[in-house]
Amino acid sequence: MEFLQCYEEILKEIQNNKSLEEIFKSYSSKLIKENKDNNENKNILLKALIRASMYEQEQELKSLSIELDKLQNTIKTKENQMHASINNNFDILFSLSTSQIQKDYLNELMIKENSSTKLLYDVALNAFLNILESANLIAQRSFLLSQFLLINSLEYSSFNKDKIINNADSILQAAFTLANEWQSFANDLIVNTINGLLEGTFTILEKLQEQIDLLASSEEINLATNSLINLENDFIILLKRNINNELAGQILNQVLHTKFDTSFAKFSRLIRENKQKLNLKLISIHNLEQDAKKIYKNFDAKKLVNDLLGKLKK
């Protein structure tokens, strides 16, 4: 007995509303009559019955998989369009601005929540809302979006603790607003938004670590060092001050001491490594400055001029 032929015949019978019990008895009798009642043919029959009985579910799953791929592509396309639109609009305004004050102001709009437009909050709110409306891959998407929004909002800025905390707060508030409205998705949205903000901060800290060698002055190093002071504690304070935020605050209170231990350990390590590297860079710059002062102190300009004049006369 061939599996494919058996499978197709059984599938037709199932689609004609015959039960598995009826089909099994019928084929078993047929095998006995044809003297084919051996283990191999029985196994083929059982396999064909199982596969045919799963046909409709397999087709539904295949259809859902196709829809899932389409939805993921649509979300990604919308994310890219939103990102490109924001960057393009700011680039246009930036090119039209003539004074440095205006350019600095536009940069500030790009990297933190503005009191009138609340740009970052609105962008985060719309992005999270698209995820919830699709009711699909909420955990993964909220993680990636919060990480993406935090990193992107600091793209035009030097390392600055206040901007990290302010921007993280804007993104978190957007997540809380929707969590209180969409309660069935609240836990996934909050936990993974916080995880995304933590990973975004880690990426910013890792980027700082790579750029320390490029810092050229003691002032730049001191600014970066000051921004590292209490960064982890300020992030925890940011979370704790939202504990009374309706349902979202209750979920936050439940998970704060159970979900993020590993993340905060990584937070502490990255801050410690950055501080160590900044201190070494500061010592290096200080030594170079001391060497330059010694060279300048021992430099005899009058002797150099006389030597040059002597060579010219010759």
Side-chain angles (χ1 to χ4, degrees):
M1 184 166 64
E2 291 185 5
F3 168 76
L4 186 58
Q5 182 182 354
C6 182
Y7 166 77
E8 289 175 347
E9 289 174 359
I10 290 173
L11 180 58
K12 288 179 182 177
E13 294 193 42
I14 288 175
Q15 289 171 340
N16 288 327
N17 297 321
K18 278 195 177 181
S19 68
L20 291 180
E21 187 179 3
E22 288 178 298
I23 298 169
F24 178 75
K25 287 180 178 179
S26 171
Y27 272 82
S28 296
S29 299
K30 185 179 177 182
L31 288 174
I32 293 170
K33 287 178 182 177
E34 295 176 357
N35 292 322
K36 295 180 180 178
D37 187 29
N38 54 51
N39 286 333
E40 183 181 352
N41 284 333
K42 284 180 179 178
N43 289 339
I44 290 173
L45 173 60
L46 290 171
K47 184 179 177 182
L49 279 164
I50 291 170
R51 287 297 306 275
S53 67
M54 292 168 56
Y55 176 80
E56 285 190 15
Q57 288 87 344
E58 285 180 350
Q59 294 306 305
E60 287 176 11
L61 183 61
K62 189 180 294 184
S63 177
L64 286 171
S65 297
I66 293 170
E67 290 301 315
L68 175 63
D69 288 339
K70 288 180 181 177
L71 186 59
Q72 286 177 321
N73 291 333
T74 301
I75 291 172
K76 190 63 183 174
T77 300
K78 290 295 181 185
E79 287 175 7
N80 291 336
Q81 287 174 350
M82 180 182 69
H83 180 208
S85 177
I86 292 169
N87 283 340
N88 184 55
N89 290 338
F90 271 90
D91 287 342
I92 291 170
L93 291 171
F94 196 88
S95 66
L96 294 174
S97 301
T98 54
S99 72
Q100 188 57 45
I101 293 174
Q102 288 177 328
K103 292 181 186 295
D104 290 343
Y105 177 70
L106 281 170
N107 276 337
E108 286 300 312
L109 275 179
M110 187 65 185
I111 60 178
K112 69 183 264 190
E113 178 183 356
N114 179 266
S115 59
S116 59
T117 61
K118 296 184 179 179
L119 174 67
L120 186 55
Y121 172 86
D122 290 339
V123 169
L125 192 68
N126 287 330
F128 288 137
L129 185 59
N130 285 337
I131 294 172
L132 294 180
E133 285 179 339
S134 70
N136 200 7
L137 298 175
I138 292 166
Q140 181 189 34
R141 285 292 177 184
S142 55
F143 168 81
L144 292 173
L145 265 173
S146 57
Q147 181 184 21
F148 163 80
L149 287 169
L150 183 63
I151 295 170
N152 186 61
S153 65
L154 293 161
E155 186 178 351
Y156 300 103
S157 170
S158 57
F159 182 77
N160 184 297
K161 178 180 73 173
D162 291 339
K163 289 171 182 174
I164 292 173
I165 296 299
N166 288 340
N167 293 358
D169 188 34
S170 293
I171 296 165
L172 197 59
Q173 292 308 316
F176 282 163
T177 297
L178 292 175
N180 289 327
E181 295 176 9
W182 298 63
Q183 297 188 7
S184 56
F185 304 123
N187 190 79
D188 278 346
L189 181 60
I190 291 169
V191 171
N192 290 284
T193 296
I194 294 171
N195 273 325
L197 291 174
L198 284 166
E199 283 300 322
T201 306
F202 298 161
T203 301
I204 293 163
L205 287 169
E206 287 163 354
K207 186 178 179 182
L208 170 65
Q209 203 166 10
E210 294 170 1
Q211 292 177 339
I212 288 174
D213 289 334
L214 303 177
L215 298 178
S217 68
S218 303
E219 289 77 12
E220 288 178 321
I221 292 173
N222 288 332
L223 282 172
T225 303
N226 289 336
S227 281
L228 285 170
I229 296 172
N230 293 328
L231 175 58
E232 180 188 4
N233 289 335
D234 286 352
F235 196 97
I236 294 172
I237 290 168
L238 163 66
L239 296 178
K240 285 185 174 179
R241 72 170 178 246
N242 285 286
I243 284 176
N244 295 323
N245 191 322
E246 299 181 48
L247 172 69
Q250 295 173 28
I251 294 170
L252 177 60
N253 194 31
Q254 290 169 7
V255 302
L256 189 55
H257 301 292
T258 57
K259 295 279 187 183
F260 306 113
D261 289 349
T262 304
S263 294
F264 281 115
K266 183 177 180 180
F267 210 150
S268 298
R269 176 178 61 79
L270 286 170
I271 289 174
R272 184 175 65 251
E273 289 174 356
N274 272 290
K275 284 181 176 178
Q276 290 172 348
K277 194 166 182 181
L278 283 164
N279 285 335
L280 289 173
K281 180 65 176 179
L282 187 61
I283 292 168
S284 173
I285 287 179
H286 180 72
N287 289 338
L288 286 173
E289 288 173 348
Q290 292 299 106
D291 290 343
K293 286 177 182 177
K294 286 178 185 177
I295 292 169
Y296 180 76
K297 187 176 179 181
N298 297 327
F299 178 67
D300 190 337
K302 188 175 180 180
K303 183 177 183 301
L304 178 61
V305 171
N306 289 333
D307 288 346
L308 286 172
L309 287 172
K311 287 178 181 178
L312 285 171
K313 287 176 181 179
K314 290 179 182 179

